[in-house]
């Protein structure tokens, strides 16, 4: 069959790498893709929110399934667009409809969903510009540190942890009154700070049944030792040593089962991935956030551990018979190290030639922010490449991925050399 992956980052590069291995693929397309995805299929110059352009391409090229990588087209309703068109509604879209995508598109919606269905999460209240004074008064009653979250999509930048009351008040004013994050912060969730260690659990569901995919831990801070500014992710590991069977059983019983049941109870159709961002607080799981797609760079650590045909699982989602499908998992550890442009997550200069990728033999190099100009692969984003090693032990995987990250060169290249060291 012909498959279209929507997106252009490291996550979509990993999906393309994995799906291209299926013997059921006739032609793989990636829209718009990057310099790396073209190794696994054909890149198509269509933007992720150009629903009409995507639809025309799907019809013209007999695409049998659309896999949506990033959150923006899901929140804007790409799945609904297909369902609303008579000529497209039979083509399965992997990713929730707009209503379900609100789990990521609105932090307030997600918090209300969790409270309604008894899913453990941090205590919170939401405020908008009209209730700013109430929000400021609420801050005075809360323990520090305190978390402020922009309600809408803010490209990973809309979460602030404030350690002082005056700082929290100033940031709340900036978000609500001064639109610090644009429309995304027209509403703000003020949330209790949970102290613990974060991890991500990934679930694939057909709206009725589900499969739990490997857990992963990612590293957001730009600096070694988890210092400096937040980024889209500097690396990840899977599995997560502290997420043992006892802990993951709690996650399934207290979070995954009520999440799937809650979607059904609320009449929210959902076919796709659910990313559950968790905090492990003294062995007890709490939901920090939902995302409605796979994470990045976690995908680059999770997919290499799935040994069987991913397309079989995705067909199960499309056909509503996921419960009849199975998958096999490697017992090895995957470690991913992300290479970023100099200056990231601040200002950076794209267009730097990348060399030596071909000399990486023992890791997989997933492209994130790259393009190809006159046969030369160049940087085209803040996060440029993700290098993943799959080895018998975490130490070996981290050692290999870090060594291979060092083999690649582009001007201004930076990567963390301590990914996963806190887990060894």
């Amino acid at each position: 069959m012909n498959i279209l992956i929507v997106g252009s980052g490291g996550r979509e590069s990993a999906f393309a790498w994995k799906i291209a291995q299926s013997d059921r693929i006739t032609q793989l397309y990636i829209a718009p893709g990057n310099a790396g995805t073209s190794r696994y299929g054909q890149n198509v110059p269509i933007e992720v929110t150009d629903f009409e352009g995507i639809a025309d391409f799907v019809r013209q090229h007999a695409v049998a399934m659309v896999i949506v990588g990033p959150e923006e087209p899901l929140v804007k309703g790409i799945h609904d667009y297909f369902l609303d068109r008579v000529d497209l509604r039979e083509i399965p879209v992997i990713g929730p409809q707009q209503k379900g995508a609100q789990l990521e598109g609105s932090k307030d919606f997600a918090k209300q969903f969790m409270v309604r269905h008894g899913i453990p999460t941090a205590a919170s209240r939401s405020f908008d510009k009209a209730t700013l004074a109430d929000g400021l008064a609420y801050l005075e009653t809360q323990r520090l540190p305190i978390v402020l979250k922009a309600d809408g999509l803010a490209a990973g930048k809309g979460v602030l942890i404030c350690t002082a009351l005056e700082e929290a008040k100033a940031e709340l004013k900036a978000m609500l009154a001064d639109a610090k994050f644009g429309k995304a912060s027209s509403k703000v969730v003020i949330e209790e700070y949970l102290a613990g260690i974060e991890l991500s659990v990934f679930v694939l569901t057909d709206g009725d049944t589900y499969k739990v995919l490997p857990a992963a831990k990612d590293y957001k801070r730009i600096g070694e030792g988890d210092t400096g500014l937040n980024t889209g992710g500097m690396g990840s590991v899977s599995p997560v040593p502290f997420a043992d069977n006892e802990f993951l059983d709690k996650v399934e019983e207290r979070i995954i089962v009520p999440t799937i049941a809650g979607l059904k109870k609320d009449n929210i159709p959902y076919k796709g991935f659910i990313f559950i961002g968790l905090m492990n607080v003294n062995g007890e799981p709490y939901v920090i956030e939902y995302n409605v797609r796979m994470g990045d760079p976690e995908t680059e650590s999770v997919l290499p551990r799935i040994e069987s045909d991913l397309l079989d699982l995705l067909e199960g989602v499309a056909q509503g018979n996921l419960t009849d499908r199975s998958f096999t998992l490697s017992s090895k550890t995957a470690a991913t190290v992300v290479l970023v442009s100099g200056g990231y997550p601040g200002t950076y200069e794209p267009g730097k030639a990348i060399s030596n990728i071909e000399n990486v033999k023992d890791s997989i190099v997933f492209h994130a922010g790259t393009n190809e100009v006159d046969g030369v692969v160049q940087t085209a984003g803040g996060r440029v490449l993700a290098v993943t090693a799959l080895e018998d032990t975490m130490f070996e995987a981290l050692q290999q991925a870090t060594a291979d990250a060092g083999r690649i060169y582009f001007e201004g290249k930076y990567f963390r050399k301590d990914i996963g060291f806190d887990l060894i």
Side-chain angles (χ1 to χ4, degrees):
M1 63 176 111
N2 296 341
I3 302 288
L4 173 66
I5 298 172
V6 175
S8 62
R11 167 185 45 230
E12 290 76 35
S13 186
F15 269 109
W17 168 82
K18 183 62 180 171
I19 289 170
Q21 296 168 24
S22 173
D23 58 11
R24 300 153 87 173
I25 281 280
T26 304
Q27 179 64 54
L28 178 62
Y29 301 104
I30 309 96
N34 58 41
T37 56
S38 60
R39 290 182 55 196
Y40 312 116
Q42 180 183 324
N43 288 347
V44 182
I46 305 172
E47 290 306 310
V48 299
T49 53
D50 180 4
F51 297 168
E52 189 173 341
I54 291 169
D56 289 345
F57 183 87
V58 164
R59 280 177 41 242
Q60 291 164 13
H61 294 82
V63 168
M65 181 187 291
V66 178
I67 301 163
V68 184
E71 64 276 14
E72 187 182 10
L74 292 168
V75 171
K76 290 186 173 177
I78 187 171
H79 195 147
D80 308 74
Y81 181 89
F82 270 66
L83 291 174
D84 289 343
R85 283 187 46 168
V86 176
D87 57 337
L88 294 171
R89 62 178 54 151
E90 297 303 319
I91 297 169
V93 175
I94 305 300
Q97 295 168 43
Q98 199 165 23
K99 193 174 180 183
Q102 284 296 97
L103 281 178
E104 180 168 1
S106 168
K107 299 287 193 298
D108 181 57
F109 177 93
K111 295 298 283 193
Q112 289 187 39
F113 176 89
M114 286 183 264
V115 170
R116 191 161 59 246
H117 299 293
I119 296 165
T121 188
S124 70
R125 279 187 59 187
S126 299
F127 301 90
D128 57 19
K129 191 173 182 179
T131 57
L132 173 57
D134 295 334
L136 294 171
Y138 179 74
L139 282 173
E140 294 182 356
T141 69
Q142 299 303 297
R143 287 185 306 176
L144 295 169
I146 193 82
V147 183
L148 307 185
K149 292 183 175 181
D151 178 59
L153 297 180
K157 299 181 176 67
V159 178
L160 305 175
I161 299 173
C162 301
T163 56
L165 179 60
E166 289 310 311
E167 176 197 10
K169 286 184 171 183
E171 290 292 1
L172 186 64
K173 288 177 185 174
M175 292 169 84
L176 289 177
D178 305 328
K180 178 173 182 172
F181 299 110
K183 283 176 61 179
S185 61
S186 59
K187 184 183 288 185
V188 171
V189 176
I190 301 178
E191 185 176 278
E192 167 194 19
Y193 175 81
L194 294 177
I197 185 166
E198 288 188 55
L199 73 154
S200 306
V201 170
F202 300 96
V203 177
L204 183 60
T205 181
D206 58 8
D208 188 40
T209 62
Y210 63 88
K211 300 289 184 186
V212 183
L213 303 179
K217 183 183 190 303
D218 81 327
Y219 293 80
K220 285 278 190 276
R221 300 280 187 172
I222 187 69
E224 292 177 3
D226 277 335
T227 57
L229 296 172
N230 265 337
T231 71
M234 295 298 296
S236 57
V237 295
S238 177
V240 184
F242 62 81
D244 57 15
N245 288 336
E246 181 184 359
F247 179 81
L248 292 174
D249 285 346
K250 290 179 183 177
V251 172
E252 185 164 14
E253 176 189 340
R254 301 177 191 176
I255 295 167
I256 297 173
V257 169
T259 295
I260 302 299
L263 290 168
K264 291 165 70 174
K265 187 174 182 180
D266 292 351
N267 295 312
I268 299 174
Y270 201 109
K271 287 180 176 286
F273 296 96
I274 306 176
F275 166 134
I276 305 173
L278 297 171
M279 187 71 78
N280 179 344
V281 182
N282 298 319
E284 305 301 323
Y286 290 81
V287 179
I288 298 297
E289 64 176 355
Y290 288 112
N291 290 333
V292 297
R293 35 71 190 186
M294 288 292 285
D296 191 350
E298 296 100 324
T299 305
E300 292 94 303
S301 293
V302 169
L303 292 190
R305 294 191 57 223
I306 297 175
E307 294 178 328
S308 47
D309 189 344
L310 180 63
L311 199 49
D312 184 62
L313 289 180
L314 299 180
E315 273 195 313
V317 171
Q319 296 171 10
N321 56 15
L322 183 60
T323 190
D324 299 331
R325 314 290 175 128
S326 61
F327 67 99
T328 55
L329 203 57
S330 171
S331 60
K332 293 185 176 184
T333 292
T336 301
V337 174
V338 175
L339 283 66
V340 303
S341 295
Y344 175 81
T347 304
Y348 57 86
E349 190 177 323
K352 305 298 184 183
I354 305 170
S355 59
N356 232 25
I357 294 176
E358 67 281 358
N359 289 333
V360 174
K361 307 295 186 188
D362 298 310
S363 298
I364 312 159
V365 180
F366 296 116
H367 290 234
T370 65
N371 59 20
E372 193 167 337
V373 180
D374 297 328
V376 177
V377 177
Q378 298 183 350
T379 64
R383 292 189 296 164
V384 178
L385 300 167
V387 178
T388 298
L390 188 67
E391 300 290 345
D392 289 331
T393 68
M394 181 170 292
F395 179 79
E396 290 171 310
L398 292 167
Q399 191 177 46
Q400 188 66 59
T402 304
D404 283 333
R407 291 185 170 91
I408 299 168
Y409 176 78
F410 55 87
E411 184 185 331
K413 178 191 80 171
Y414 170 77
F415 64 94
R416 280 181 57 173
K417 300 177 181 67
D418 68 337
I419 298 299
F421 277 28
D422 58 318
L423 302 176
I424 295 177

